[in-house]
């Protein structure tokens, strides 16, 4: 048995006429099989393209507290109505505003050797907001806070239409797999005869979640400049497993 080591630490084992290779060490492949008319080579490859996100998703909400459950919900509803009104005034379409969470929970006071005592209630209402013009989302966030929002999480950057970028990544993945197959074939003194099968092994449409961003209402209200929102770049990836026939 002879062992051939290729690029990136991937190993190819040549036993008789069997050769297995992988372009991604984290994704083990099944052992290659021997066919009567040649050698089977399995390659896993990832294609990648870069795009600028054009969609930012932010979660904005109102948290209120009151001595009674009804009072907490009533105050929350009033402030949330103002928040939604501010979003629409900022040009956000109704289809881009969706309720993501509504909750009401009691607040307790704990004392040693005593059962918990309810001291009031906390109500929370959160909406998910899509900003289709990332450059203009900063002023909208500031308007949210001025209208009563006291909790903002995000943003999560993504592509509104990732299909074309994903197709480019898939094409790049197959080209990468083919190039690597040619490399291994040449190292083994063989040539690539044809592709036996192609299996899609996963993709990433460019969604790029961010750590939560908590904005304090007072600080936002006093700020002279708008909150900046920068799109940056994101990678769109596709992974394929390609089986080649070598001769």
């Amino acid at each position: 048995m002879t062992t051939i080591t290729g690029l990136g630490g991937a190993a190819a084992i040549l036993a008789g006429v069997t050769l297995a290779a992988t372009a991604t060490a984290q994704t083990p492949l099944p052992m290659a099989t021997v066919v009567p008319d040649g050698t089977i080579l399995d390659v896993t490859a990832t294609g990648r393209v870069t795009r600028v996100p054009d969609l930012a998703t932010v979660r904005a909400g109102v948290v209120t507290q009151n001595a009674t459950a009804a009072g907490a919900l009533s105050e929350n509803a009033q402030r949330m109505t103002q928040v939604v009104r501010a979003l629409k005034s900022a040009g956000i379409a109704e289809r881009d505003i969706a309720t993501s969470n509504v909750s009401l929970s009691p607040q307790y006071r704990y004392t040693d050797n005593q059962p918990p005592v309810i001291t009031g209630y906390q109500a929370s209402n959160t909406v998910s907001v899509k900003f289709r013009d990332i450059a203009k989302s900063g002023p909208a966030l500031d308007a949210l806070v001025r209208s009563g929002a006291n909790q903002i999480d995000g943003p999560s950057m993504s592509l509104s239409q990732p299909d074309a970028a994903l197709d480019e990544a898939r094409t790049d993945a197959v080209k990468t797999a083919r190039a690597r197959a040619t490399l291994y074939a040449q190292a083994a003194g063989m040539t690539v005869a044809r592709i036996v099968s192609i299996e899609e092994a996963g993709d990433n449409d460019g969604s790029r979640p961010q750590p939560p961003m908590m904005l304090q209402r007072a600080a936002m209200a006093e700020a002279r400049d708008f909150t900046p929102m920068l799109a940056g770049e994101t990678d769109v990836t596709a992974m394929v497993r390609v089986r080649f026939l070598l001769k």
Side-chain angles (χ1 to χ4, degrees):
M1 178 180 292
T2 303
T3 301
I4 303 174
T5 302
L7 292 178
I13 300 178
L14 184 62
V17 289
T18 301
L19 185 64
T22 178
T24 309
Q26 294 85 348
T27 309
L29 291 167
M31 292 297 293
T33 57
V34 179
V35 292
D37 59 343
T39 300
I40 289 296
L41 171 67
D42 288 326
V43 176
T44 298
T46 299
R48 188 184 315 273
V49 296
T50 301
R51 292 289 185 272
V52 176
D54 61 353
L55 184 65
T57 302
V58 173
R59 286 165 50 100
V62 173
V63 178
T64 55
Q65 293 184 347
N66 196 282
T68 66
L73 279 176
S74 177
E75 181 184 353
N76 192 281
Q78 294 175 15
R79 291 174 59 178
M80 200 63 196
T81 298
Q82 296 175 356
V83 167
V84 173
R85 187 180 296 121
L87 283 169
K88 293 180 178 180
S89 297
I92 307 301
E94 189 169 345
R95 68 189 176 100
D96 292 330
I97 307 171
T99 299
S100 60
N101 181 67
V102 176
S103 66
L104 176 67
S105 57
Q107 304 298 293
Y108 295 95
R109 182 178 68 245
Y110 296 92
T111 306
D112 292 342
N113 302 319
Q114 297 291 331
V117 176
I118 295 178
T119 59
Y121 293 84
Q122 178 175 285
S124 176
N125 191 332
T126 305
V127 292
S128 176
V129 186
K130 292 181 179 179
F131 295 100
R132 299 182 185 275
D133 188 342
I134 296 178
K136 296 181 180 179
S137 58
L141 288 179
D142 297 336
L144 279 178
V145 176
R146 288 193 298 269
S147 67
N150 55 11
Q151 187 173 31
I152 297 179
D153 302 330
S156 174
M157 302 292 185
S158 60
L159 301 176
S160 59
Q161 297 180 337
D163 291 347
L166 280 169
D167 286 345
E168 284 189 41
R170 293 180 181 114
T171 300
D172 183 61
V174 174
K175 289 181 179 178
T176 300
R178 181 88 189 202
R180 189 160 281 112
T182 300
L183 174 69
Y184 278 102
Q186 291 175 348
M190 308 174 77
T191 59
V192 177
R194 62 182 176 88
I195 292 177
V196 177
S197 64
I198 301 176
E199 176 187 356
E200 193 167 73
D203 56 47
N204 182 338
D205 63 2
S207 298
R208 179 158 49 85
Q210 296 289 332
M213 174 183 66
M214 305 300 294
L215 303 181
Q216 297 297 325
R217 182 182 179 187
M220 293 281 289
E222 295 174 1
R224 295 182 179 179
D225 298 322
F226 290 127
T227 301
M229 293 277 279
L230 307 177
E233 289 186 341
T234 188
D235 288 337
V236 178
T237 61
M239 181 183 293
V240 295
R241 294 189 180 97
V242 186
R243 175 162 288 188
F244 297 90
L245 176 65
L246 307 185
K247 289 187 176 181

